Amino acid sequence: MALISTYTLFILCDLLLTLVGSRENNGCQFQNNGCTYNILLQQPDDGQTVGKDCLESAKVIKLDRAQSDYAAKIDDMEKNFSFLKDAHESRIQELEGTVRDLLGLGKTIRRVSGKDDDVEVSHHAPAGSLLNNDVLMDKLEEEFNKLRDEIKRKNEELMDARIKLNETRRRMHETQLQHFTTSKEMVKLENEMIKMTRERAILKNQLKDKSYRLDLSAKKAKECEAKTTEQQDRILELFRSESTLKEDLMTAQWRMNKSVENHKKMKTKYNNLKSRYERTRTVLKIREKELIDCYSAKTSTFCGFEDPKICGFSHVKDVSDFFDWTRGSGRTPSGGTGPGHDHTCKGPNGHYMFIEASSKAKNSNAILYSPLYRGFKEQCVEFYYHMYGRNMGTLNVYAQARGDVLRSAWRAYGNQGDVWTRARLSIPKTLAMAGYQIAFEGIANAGYMGDMAIDDVKVTDGPCPGDDIAVQVEISPNSTALIKSGAKKLRRRLKKRKP
């Protein structure tokens, strides 16, 4: 019997170590036939870690995370905790039943559910068979009850963490409402400040105008004072000689009559000039409207490069580029690169402009200049580009004010896929009124698979559509260059008129 009990106790120790692991914790001690046995009991590492993680996660939750993330994390923690709790209860019941079977104590049925108390129904073996085993079972049952209490305690800590989370949500909502109210008041104060700044500027301008008028009035007062002094001297002289006074009076009367007559003539001329001015102003308005319509008709242009003259686009021969753009149709000569068709007709008969990357040195470039565009309001430049190939280089787009230098406005580089892609440039009103050009620069890379192309260049009056592909052109026209350019044109016209 002692041999069987010892073997049974070894099996019991092995099962307990398998369940709780090998970490240190409180254990139980019993004796059997002169031998002392120590059994170390511990909660599973996974359950302990999960409980600590739940508490630590509840402490380090930050206000700036989304509330949905907090709820999802708490739900996951509850599911894991419930799963581990059920697993522990099942393993404890299995272990307790196994121990009782091995010790010959009969079967024990336990049921644990939520907050309900444990219910136990046991069938015991005879009391005189294994007295020491009863002591062992009491100690084991005590340790099992400790484990159940620990599980309940972890569940209560989880509920505390949920309460803290709800409090954090409530405070975060109050903070958001307070932030919204503060932002609203700040916007109101900013509007009032802008209004007061505008009124201050108006008052400042009015004060400046009043000061200017006051200076003019003071200057005129001095002039009047000087004239009054001079007239007083003349009056004294007139009083000295009556004859001179009469003569001067007759002369003044004659001059006054002459002035009245001249005033009538000048008034007639003024009325005639005013009539001519009104007629001329009306004609100028008509001509200005016709000129605006003319410019609008010219600026609303479209170029699909179907014209052999490529719609006025040109290549400038200088040291800034190495080769020229080519007008092509269908697929480019190099395989695995370039478009298979144009964008306008979407077929082999349509045309486009492209650069041939074969036999080109790295960083060699070609520049294509557009005609001079001009308008009386904001404009939108739209074009399509195709950049397909393993050795694709860079496509630069420049904007040039009339009489000024090229300025970078847009750029794309690398393989963009075998598709036509749309791009837009938003031209400001000042640049459109001064006149501008668009330049397309293609830069080749090392390798023949780098053919790029452009097609369907369109210029329209008005702002670009409200999407993400429009790029604002930040270029201001050079007034000095515009004046010089206008002076050159004026001199040319005068030379033509001299003969």
Side-chain angles (χ1 to χ4, degrees):
M1 183 65 183
L3 179 61
I4 295 174
S5 299
T6 304
Y7 179 72
T8 302
L9 291 175
F10 276 118
I11 294 176
L12 173 62
C13 291
D14 183 70
L15 290 173
L16 290 175
L17 290 174
T18 303
L19 175 63
V20 302
S22 60
R23 296 175 58 185
E24 295 180 358
N25 66 340
N26 296 328
C28 62
Q29 186 180 61
F30 63 91
Q31 295 180 353
N32 186 25
N33 295 331
C35 297
T36 301
Y37 299 92
N38 291 320
I39 299 177
L40 300 177
L41 299 179
Q42 183 185 5
Q43 299 179 19
D45 290 341
D46 294 339
Q48 187 175 6
T49 304
V50 171
K52 289 184 178 179
D53 291 341
C54 291
L55 294 176
E56 292 299 324
S57 300
K59 291 180 181 178
V60 299
I61 289 175
K62 297 183 180 179
L63 291 177
D64 56 348
R65 293 189 178 177
Q67 297 181 1
S68 60
D69 294 340
Y70 297 144
K73 289 182 179 180
I74 290 299
D75 293 338
D76 292 339
M77 292 177 184
E78 289 179 351
K79 291 179 181 178
N80 294 334
F81 187 84
S82 178
F83 175 79
L84 292 175
K85 184 177 71 175
D86 295 339
H88 294 339
E89 292 293 341
S90 300
R91 292 295 298 275
I92 290 171
Q93 292 176 7
E94 292 175 2
L95 177 61
E96 189 174 356
T98 303
V99 171
R100 287 183 176 274
D101 292 339
L102 292 175
L103 297 178
L105 298 179
K107 296 183 180 179
T108 299
I109 300 174
R110 289 185 178 274
R111 181 175 54 134
V112 180
S113 59
K115 298 180 180 179
D116 297 336
D117 295 331
D118 298 338
V119 178
E120 179 179 347
V121 178
S122 303
H123 298 283
H124 296 284
S129 61
L130 294 172
L131 296 177
N132 293 330
N133 293 335
D134 292 334
V135 176
L136 170 63
M137 289 308 302
D138 292 335
K139 292 183 178 180
L140 288 175
E141 184 176 1
E142 181 180 356
E143 293 300 323
F144 291 152
N145 291 331
K146 288 181 181 179
L147 288 177
R148 291 190 183 96
D149 293 337
E150 183 67 17
I151 291 173
K152 290 182 180 180
R153 186 179 64 82
K154 295 296 182 180
N155 194 11
E156 291 175 356
E157 291 177 354
L158 182 63
M159 293 300 295
D160 293 338
R162 176 174 285 278
I163 292 172
K164 291 180 180 179
L165 174 62
N166 293 332
E167 181 65 19
T168 303
R169 287 177 179 171
R170 184 183 65 78
R171 291 182 180 179
M172 183 176 180
H173 181 66
E174 293 176 355
T175 305
Q176 289 177 347
L177 292 177
Q178 185 177 3
H179 175 69
F180 176 77
T181 305
T182 306
S183 301
K184 187 175 180 181
E185 293 177 357
M186 185 178 295
V187 171
K188 183 178 180 181
L189 292 175
E190 287 179 355
N191 292 333
E192 292 179 358
M193 185 178 67
I194 292 173
K195 183 178 179 182
M196 293 178 66
T197 304
R198 190 183 297 113
E199 292 176 355
R200 177 178 175 273
I202 294 173
L203 292 174
K204 187 176 180 180
N205 292 332
Q206 291 178 354
L207 178 61
K208 185 177 180 181
D209 183 65
K210 295 294 184 182
S211 300
Y212 176 74
R213 292 184 179 182
L214 183 62
D215 293 337
L216 290 179
S217 300
K219 185 177 180 180
K220 289 182 179 180
K222 290 181 180 179
E223 293 177 357
C224 291
E225 185 177 359
K227 289 181 179 180
T228 302
T229 304
E230 183 179 356
Q231 289 179 359
Q232 287 178 356
D233 294 336
R234 294 174 67 181
I235 288 172
L236 291 175
E237 291 179 358
L238 289 174
F239 276 115
R240 292 191 187 105
S241 176
E242 186 178 0
S243 59
T244 305
L245 178 60
K246 289 181 179 180
E247 184 179 353
D248 292 337
L249 181 61
M250 294 297 293
T251 303
Q253 188 175 4
W254 177 82
R255 288 181 177 177
M256 185 182 68
N257 295 333
K258 192 70 174 177
S259 297
V260 170
E261 185 179 356
N262 291 335
H263 176 70
K264 290 181 180 180
K265 292 180 180 180
M266 293 298 294
K267 188 174 182 180
T268 303
K269 290 182 179 181
Y270 169 76
N271 292 329
N272 294 333
L273 289 174
K274 187 176 181 180
S275 300
R276 290 178 60 185
Y277 168 76
E278 294 296 335
R279 290 195 300 270
T280 306
R281 186 177 180 182
T282 303
V283 173
L284 284 177
K285 287 184 178 180
I286 295 173
R287 295 295 180 264
E288 184 178 359
K289 186 176 183 304
E290 293 176 353
L291 185 60
I292 291 174
D293 294 338
C294 179
Y295 273 121
S296 299
K298 284 187 176 182
T299 54
S300 299
T301 59
F302 174 82
C303 181
F305 300 107
E306 304 302 326
D307 180 14
K309 296 182 180 180
I310 60 175
C311 310
F313 282 75
S314 61
H315 300 90
V316 177
K317 300 295 183 181
D318 55 14
V319 296
S320 61
D321 60 350
F322 294 88
F323 59 99
D324 294 336
W325 288 74
T326 305
R327 180 172 174 263
S329 61
R331 184 170 294 280
T332 59
S334 302
T337 184
H341 56 78
D342 74 323
H343 182 268
T344 308
C345 303
K346 295 180 175 56
N349 297 325
H351 293 82
Y352 54 87
M353 298 298 292
F354 77 102
I355 64 170
E356 174 60 44
S358 301
S359 303
K360 300 295 188 301
K362 185 177 181 179
N363 295 329
S364 58
N365 64 334
I367 302 178
L368 181 66
Y369 289 86
S370 71
L372 181 66
Y373 299 123
R374 189 175 181 182
F376 285 92
K377 57 183 178 180
E378 183 180 358
Q379 291 184 335
C380 182
V381 178
E382 179 181 292
F383 63 93
Y384 286 82
Y385 65 93
H386 191 285
M387 300 175 69
Y388 169 61
R390 186 176 57 191
N391 307 122
M392 184 55 58
T394 303
L395 174 62
N396 292 322
V397 179
Y398 302 95
Q400 178 184 17
R402 182 166 60 89
D404 205 351
V405 297
L406 291 175
R407 304 289 177 86
S408 177
W410 182 90
R411 174 178 294 177
Y413 59 88
N415 187 3
Q416 304 292 325
D418 190 9
V419 292
W420 285 98
T421 307
R422 178 169 57 186
R424 292 192 183 102
L425 300 178
S426 180
I427 306 299
K429 179 179 178 181
T430 55
L431 183 59
M433 294 183 67
Y436 64 96
Q437 280 183 298
I438 302 297
F440 297 90
E441 179 189 26
I443 302 176
N445 202 351
Y448 72 94
M449 299 177 68
D451 295 348
M452 68 178 67
I454 60 173
D455 198 4
D456 294 352
V457 180
K458 181 171 66 173
V459 181
T460 56
D461 290 329
C464 293
D467 52 26
D468 296 335
I469 65 175
V471 177
Q472 185 72 26
V473 177
E474 300 292 343
I475 297 176
S476 299
N478 190 338
S479 58
T480 304
L482 290 176
I483 293 172
K484 290 182 180 179
S485 177
K488 288 182 181 179
K489 290 184 178 181
L490 181 60
R491 286 195 294 270
R492 291 175 185 175
R493 292 178 182 177
L494 292 176
K495 288 182 180 178
K496 292 180 179 179
R497 291 181 181 179
K498 282 183 179 179

